[in-house]
Amino acid sequence: MKKSMLVLLALSLTAISGAALAETPKEKGPEFIRFKMKDLELPFKHWKHQKNLNNECFHCHNTTLGKIDGWGEQTAHRLCISCHELEDKGPVYCRQCHVKKKK
Ligand code: HEC
Ligand code: HEC
Ligand code: HEC
């Protein structure tokens, strides 16, 4: 019972990522995304994340690829920090993500 639920879940996740990929097949987006916040910035390694996550875009883009709906502080924190906590990898403290701009 439990096992079949997992299979179903895996299948539906594949379907979602497949649909998202079908829309813009080759568009990987930028290699780096530099989020800017006043005198701080956050260099985000987009491609490295894609690679680490087996190119499963749906971890961050749940329906379409590109701009994420309602992107901003809350969405970002929910998305980014929860995965890092779950994986026990990647930054979870403010100053690990929000660093001083390089001159
Ligand atoms: C770990 C999270 C994460 C993963 C995984 C991820 N992305 Fe993104 N991606 C982002 C974020 C964050 C943005 C910026 C969102 C925004 O500004 O609204 C973005 C933006 C984009 C953009 C739009 C860039 C622009 O400026 O218009 C494209 C295209 C894109 N991603 C494609 C992909 C594809 C294709 C995959 C899977 C191979 C993928 N992403 C996987 C986080 C991710
Ligand atoms: C689904 C899981 C997942 C999501 C979502 C995610 N990350 Fe990560 N992130 C990781 C993992 C795993 C690592 C560790 C990579 C390693 O050690 O090789 C990491 C590492 C990082 C690092 C350390 C430097 C680097 O790139 O190796 C930064 C900075 C980072 N993430 C920023 C972000 C930001 C900003 C977001 C949200 C836009 C985000 N991450 C979303 C899984 C995720
Ligand atoms: C995993 C990385 C990560 C961690 C950890 C993190 N943040 Fe963020 N934070 C982000 C991202 C990504 C954004 C969205 C940037 C954008 O709007 O494009 C953001 C946005 C913000 C903003 C809004 C800034 C603006 O100009 O819109 C504030 C304030 C903020 N964070 C404070 C904090 C504080 C305080 C902590 C610690 C409790 C923290 N952050 C931890 C990634 C992180």
Side-chain angles (χ1 to χ4, degrees), residues 2 10 13 28 31 39 56 73-74 77 90 96-97 100-102:
K2 251 199 179 151
L13 289 178
K28 289 178 71 180
E31 178 170 7
D39 60 329
E56 295 169 343
E73 181 177 353
Q74 285 198 347
H77 286 170
Q96 293 176 301
C97 275
K100 279 246 151 63
K101 259 180 206 157
K102 289 194 196 82

Coordinates of all heavy atoms in Angstrom, one line a residue, residues 2 10 13 28 31 39 56 73-74 77 90 96-97 100-102:
K2 N 1.7 1.3 1.0 CA 2.6 2.5 1.1 C 3.5 2.6 -0.2 O 3.7 3.7 -0.7 CB 3.5 2.3 2.3 CG 3.1 3.3 3.4 CD 4.3 3.5 4.4 CE 3.9 4.4 5.5 NZ 4.6 4.1 6.7
A10 N 5.9 9.4 -7.3 CA 7.0 9.6 -8.2 C 6.6 9.8 -9.7 O 7.1 10.7 -10.4 CB 7.9 8.3 -8.2
L13 N 5.2 13.3 -10.1 CA 6.3 14.3 -10.1 C 6.9 14.3 -11.4 O 7.3 15.4 -12.0 CB 7.3 14.0 -9.0 CG 6.8 14.3 -7.6 CD1 7.9 13.9 -6.5 CD2 6.4 15.8 -7.4
K28 N 17.7 26.5 -20.1 CA 18.1 26.2 -18.8 C 18.1 27.5 -17.9 O 18.4 27.4 -16.7 CB 19.6 25.7 -18.8 CG 19.7 24.3 -19.4 CD 21.2 23.9 -19.4 CE 21.7 23.6 -18.0 NZ 23.1 23.2 -18.0
E31 N 23.2 30.7 -15.8 CA 24.1 29.8 -15.0 C 24.1 30.4 -13.5 O 24.0 29.6 -12.6 CB 25.5 29.8 -15.5 CG 26.4 29.0 -14.7 CD 27.8 28.8 -15.3 OE1 28.0 29.4 -16.4 OE2 28.6 28.0 -14.8
D39 N 22.7 46.7 0.2 CA 24.1 46.5 0.1 C 24.5 45.1 0.1 O 25.7 44.7 0.2 CB 24.8 47.3 1.1 CG 24.5 46.9 2.5 OD1 23.3 46.4 2.7 OD2 25.3 47.0 3.4
E56 N 16.0 18.0 -12.1 CA 14.5 18.0 -11.8 C 14.1 19.4 -11.4 O 14.2 19.8 -10.3 CB 14.3 17.0 -10.6 CG 14.6 15.6 -11.0 CD 14.6 14.6 -9.8 OE1 14.7 15.1 -8.7 OE2 14.6 13.4 -10.0
E73 N 10.9 37.6 -0.8 CA 11.5 37.1 0.5 C 10.8 35.8 1.0 O 11.5 34.8 1.2 CB 11.4 38.2 1.5 CG 12.0 37.8 2.8 CD 11.9 39.0 3.8 OE1 11.6 40.1 3.5 OE2 12.3 38.7 5.0
Q74 N 9.5 35.8 1.1 CA 8.8 34.7 1.7 C 8.9 33.4 0.9 O 9.2 32.3 1.4 CB 7.3 35.0 1.9 CG 7.1 35.9 3.1 CD 5.7 35.9 3.6 OE1 4.8 35.4 2.9 NE2 5.5 36.5 4.8
H77 N 12.6 32.2 1.0 CA 13.0 31.5 2.2 C 12.3 30.2 2.4 O 13.0 29.2 2.8 CB 12.6 32.4 3.4 CG 13.6 33.6 3.5 ND1 13.3 34.6 4.4 CD2 14.7 33.9 2.9 CE1 14.3 35.5 4.3 NE2 15.1 35.1 3.4
G90 N 23.9 23.0 2.3 CA 23.6 24.3 1.8 C 23.3 25.2 3.0 O 23.0 24.8 4.1
Q96 N 25.0 33.4 5.7 CA 25.6 32.5 4.7 C 25.0 32.8 3.3 O 25.6 32.6 2.3 CB 25.2 31.1 5.1 CG 25.9 30.6 6.3 CD 25.4 29.2 6.7 OE1 24.3 28.9 6.9 NE2 26.4 28.3 6.8
C97 N 23.8 33.3 3.3 CA 23.2 33.6 2.0 C 23.3 35.1 1.6 O 23.6 35.4 0.5 CB 21.7 33.3 2.0 SG 21.4 31.5 1.6
K100 N 28.0 40.6 1.7 CA 28.3 41.9 1.3 C 28.7 41.9 -0.2 O 29.4 41.0 -0.6 CB 29.5 42.4 2.1 CG 29.1 43.0 3.4 CD 29.3 44.5 3.5 CE 28.3 45.2 4.4 NZ 28.4 44.8 5.8
K101 N 28.2 42.9 -0.9 CA 28.6 43.0 -2.3 C 30.1 43.1 -2.5 O 30.7 43.8 -1.8 CB 27.9 44.3 -2.9 CG 26.7 44.0 -3.7 CD 26.1 45.3 -4.2 CE 24.6 45.1 -4.4 NZ 23.9 46.4 -4.5
K102 N 30.5 42.4 -3.5 CA 32.0 42.5 -3.9 C 32.1 43.8 -4.7 O 31.3 44.1 -5.5 CB 32.4 41.3 -4.7 CG 32.5 40.0 -3.9 CD 33.3 39.0 -4.6 CE 33.0 37.6 -4.0 NZ 31.7 37.0 -4.5

